[in-house]
Amino acid sequence: MSAHSLMESLRCSAIYRSIVRRGPADNDIDRSLAITSNVFLHLHPVKIRRHALRFTYTFGLGGITTLLFLILCVTGVLLMFYYVPSPERAYRSMQDLRYVVPYGTFLRNLHHWAAHAMIVTAALHMARVFYTGAFKGTRQFNWVVGVILFVLTLGFSFTGYLLPWDQLAFWAITVGTNMAAAVPLLGGMIRYALLGGNIVGANALLRFYVLHCAVLPALVFVFLAVHFWRVRKDGGISGPPLPAEVPEEGPPERLFATTPGRSYALVALPREAPAAVEESRKSPEDTVLTYPHLLVREAAAAMVVIGGLLLVALFLNAHLEEAANALKTPDPAKAPWYFLGLQEVVSWSTPFIGGVLVPGLMVLALLAIPYVRPNSVGVGVWFHPARRRAVIAFTIGLVLNVLLIVVGMFFRGHGWSLVWPWSN
Amino acid sequence: MDENRETPALGRRALIARIGWGAFAASIAGSLAAGVRYMFPKALDEPPSKFKAPPPDTYGVGSVYAVEENKSFILRDAGGVFAMSAVCTHLGCTVKHMDAKGEFHCPCHGSVFDKDGTNIAGPAPRPLPRLDANVARDGRLEVDTQVEAAKDYRVPVDAGRG
C-alpha cells in the first residue's frame, strides 16, 4: 500500500469524515466549505480579492504580528511553569532557566525575540495601513482598534520588562512608574496602584506579573477578535476601488442581496465545476478562493517567520543583567529600545512633558488620524500622490521616532551624556 | 398588551421595576468601587522611612557620607550637618556622588546637582530635598526620608552634646 493510497483511505474513513465533514477539496464548493466549516479558518472570507493577495501590498504584517502574539502566548505559558513572581525568586527563576531547565534559555530567547519582533511588525503594520490609506471609509474604527492593540502591546513590553528582576528591569520600571506619577492630579494614585505601594518591590512585581499574564492577554484577545471581525465586516482587506460593476452574462447569479463591494455568487457554483472555473469566471472584484490561494501564502509567511525566529533564538541569548539592586542605579540606565525615544524626550524636559504629554499626544494623534479629514482618497495604493502631505507628515513622525531611538541606543553614555558609539 | 389602558405616571409595576434597576445599578457601582479601592493596600511591607546614622560630630567638614540602603546622603559643611535625599527629583533614579567635582550626577537622564543639591543641569525640576534630621537620644543622627526639611536646615554639630 503506497503512502498515497493510505492517505486516500484515511480520508475516506468514517472517523476522518466525522471531523472534516466535507469531501477532498478538489472543487470550489469543498474549497469554500473548507473555510466556512472550520472554526479557525472561517476567520477568512471564502473568496478574496486578488489585489489583497499581493505580498507587496500588505507584506503579511498583520498576520505575522498575530503569529508572533500566538508564539508569545505559547512560550509565555511555558515560562510560567518555572517563573515565580517574588523578589526572592524571580531572578533565581531566570538563572534556573538559563542554567538548569532543559531548553530554558531557548524558550526564554524565543519569548524575548518574538516580543521585540512583535513591536516592530505591529509598528510596520500600522505604517502599512497608513501609507495605503487602509484606515479610510468603512475602516475608520478598525484603525482605532489597531491603535488600542498597539498600546496594549507596549503595555505587554513594559510589564514583561520587570519580570526578570534584574538591574535593567528594576530601574526601567522605577523610571516608568515615576513617569506615570507625573499625570496631573491622579499621578500619585496611578503610581501607587501600579506598584501596590511606594516602591518597586514585591507588590509591584506581582502586579506586573498578573497584568502581563492575565489582564493584558485577555484584553488583547478581545480587541484582536474585534479587529479581525471588523476587517471582514468593513469589506475585507482594503484595495483600490472596484471598476464599475458590469453584469457578466444573463441574469445575475446572486442568490442573496449583496453588500457593497462583496458578492456571494460563489454559492451558485455547481459542485462539478472544474478547478479552472474560478479563473474563467472573473467577477468585477477579481476574487480568488481563499483556499488555497491565501492559505498557502500565510503558511509560507509563517514558515519564514518561525524559521527566522528559531535561528535567532538558537544563537542570540536574551540579556540578563545583575540581580535588581534598589541601592545602585546602573550607569547609564536605559529603557528598552522602543521606549528610548521617550527617554530621550524625558531627558530634555519634565516628567510631565516627556512622560505624559508627548506620549499622550502621540496616541491621541494616532487615534485622530481617520477622523481628521475623512475622505476616500488613495485607498489601496501605497503612497498615493494625492495624499502627499499626509504621507510626508506621517513619515516625519516615524523618522523622528526612529532617530530618537537611535540616539538613545548608540549615542548616550555615562550619566546619559552624548557620546560617539565607538568611544565606549 | 392592552393599548387602550392609560398607564399612570408611575404605576406599581413601573415603580417596582425602577427600584429593581436602581438597586441593581447601585450594587454594580458599589462592587466596581470596591474593586478599585481593593487595588490600594492599606498596610505595606516596605522599609521604614526613618533610619539612624552616626552622631553629627563624626563627619568631617566638607565630607559626603552615602547611606545607600536609605538612598540618602549626610553632608557636613561649615554650618553643620544635614541629610539630603539621593533620589533624583526627575524620575527617581539614585544619584551618584562625583568625588572630583563634588557634584551629584543622575545616570538615568543626566541631571546634575551641585554640592548643596541644587539642580544645575539636566531635566531635574527641583533640588535634591533636604531631609528632616535630628539627634536622637543615643546621640546618633535620626533621619526621616519621608519628611522634607527647609532648604537651609542643618543640625548643629554640637547638638546632643551636653
Side-chain angles (χ1 to χ4, degrees), chain B residues 56-95:
Chain B
D57 58 355
T58 49
Y59 308 95
V61 176
S63 71
V64 177
Y65 176 75
V67 190
E68 279 197 347
E69 59 270 35
N70 298 95
K71 298 187 180 176
S72 310
F73 294 107
I74 294 169
L75 299 93
R76 172 155 176 199
D77 61 11
V81 170
F82 59 94
M84 192 168 78
S85 168
V87 179
C88 181
T89 53
H90 183 227
L91 285 172
C93 297
T94 310
V95 299

Side-chain angles (χ1 to χ4, degrees), chain A residues 99-112:
Chain A
Y99 300 110
V100 183
V101 178
Y103 300 103
T105 304
F106 174 63
L107 271 158
R108 176 167 176 240
N109 288 351
L110 268 181
H111 195 75
H112 181 90

Side-chain angles (χ1 to χ4, degrees), chain A residues 24-265:
Chain A
D26 55 4
N27 60 73
D28 288 355
I29 292 274
D30 281 332
R31 283 174 188 164
S32 60
L33 281 174
I35 302 295
T36 54
S37 63
N38 182 299
V39 67
F40 304 107
L41 292 181
H42 94 287
L43 192 69
H44 288 314
V46 167
K47 296 189 89 179
I48 183 165
R49 281 181 73 183
R50 200 183 294 274
H51 176 269
L53 283 180
R54 280 172 40 215
F55 180 68
T56 52
Y57 182 61
T58 62
F59 292 98
L61 287 164
I64 291 172
T65 309
T66 311
L67 172 68
L68 289 170
F69 177 66
L70 294 178
I71 292 173
L72 284 163
C73 288
V74 173
T75 52
V77 167
L78 289 172
L79 292 175
M80 284 170 77
F81 280 109
Y82 286 102
Y83 179 79
V84 186
S86 80
E88 293 77 33
R89 296 193 54 191
Y91 188 75
R92 269 174 46 201
S93 313
M94 305 313 290
Q95 287 178 315
D96 282 353
L97 284 171
R98 183 86 179 81
Y99 300 110
V100 183
V101 178
Y103 300 103
T105 304
F106 174 63
L107 271 158
R108 176 167 176 240
N109 288 351
L110 268 181
H111 195 75
H112 181 90
W113 296 119
H116 283 289
M118 187 180 164
I119 305 259
V120 176
T121 59
L124 290 178
H125 174 57
M126 187 180 261
R128 191 286 287 178
V129 170
F130 183 85
Y131 286 133
T132 56
F135 59 88
K136 297 181 171 212
T138 49
R139 300 184 181 82
Q140 281 173 310
F141 180 66
N142 216 13
W143 169 270
V144 173
V145 178
V147 173
I148 293 171
L149 280 167
F150 189 67
V151 172
L152 288 174
T153 306
L154 291 177
F156 261 116
S157 307
F158 184 62
T159 51
Y161 211 70
L162 178 63
L163 303 185
W165 203 248
D166 62 354
Q167 276 289 69
L168 197 63
F170 184 89
W171 289 100
I173 300 310
T174 300
V175 168
T177 49
N178 277 324
M179 273 155 82
V183 173
L185 300 177
L186 292 176
M189 270 172 72
I190 294 175
R191 180 171 190 270
Y192 191 87
L194 257 178
L195 294 180
N198 302 307
I199 57 168
V200 181
N203 285 1
L205 181 55
L206 188 57
R207 279 181 188 214
F208 276 54
Y209 177 75
V210 173
L211 286 172
H212 190 76
C213 303
V215 178
L216 287 170
L219 287 175
V220 163
F221 271 113
V222 170
F223 281 98
L224 216 51
V226 176
H227 202 51
F228 294 151
W229 175 260
R230 288 299 296 245
V231 168
R232 294 287 308 278
K233 294 297 146 184
D234 295 345
I237 302 269
S238 61
L242 303 168
E245 285 203 15
V246 200
E248 278 179 270
E249 76 264 1
E253 298 178 280
R254 300 203 169 107
L255 299 184
F256 302 106
T258 55
T259 54
R262 353 188 56 235
S263 152
Y264 292 93

Side-chain angles (χ1 to χ4, degrees), chain B residues 51-59 133-143 155 159-160:
Chain B
F51 69 91
K52 281 189 174 176
D57 58 355
T58 49
Y59 308 95
N134 290 294
V135 179
R137 281 184 165 195
D138 60 3
R140 289 196 291 167
L141 198 63
E142 191 177 54
V143 180
V155 181

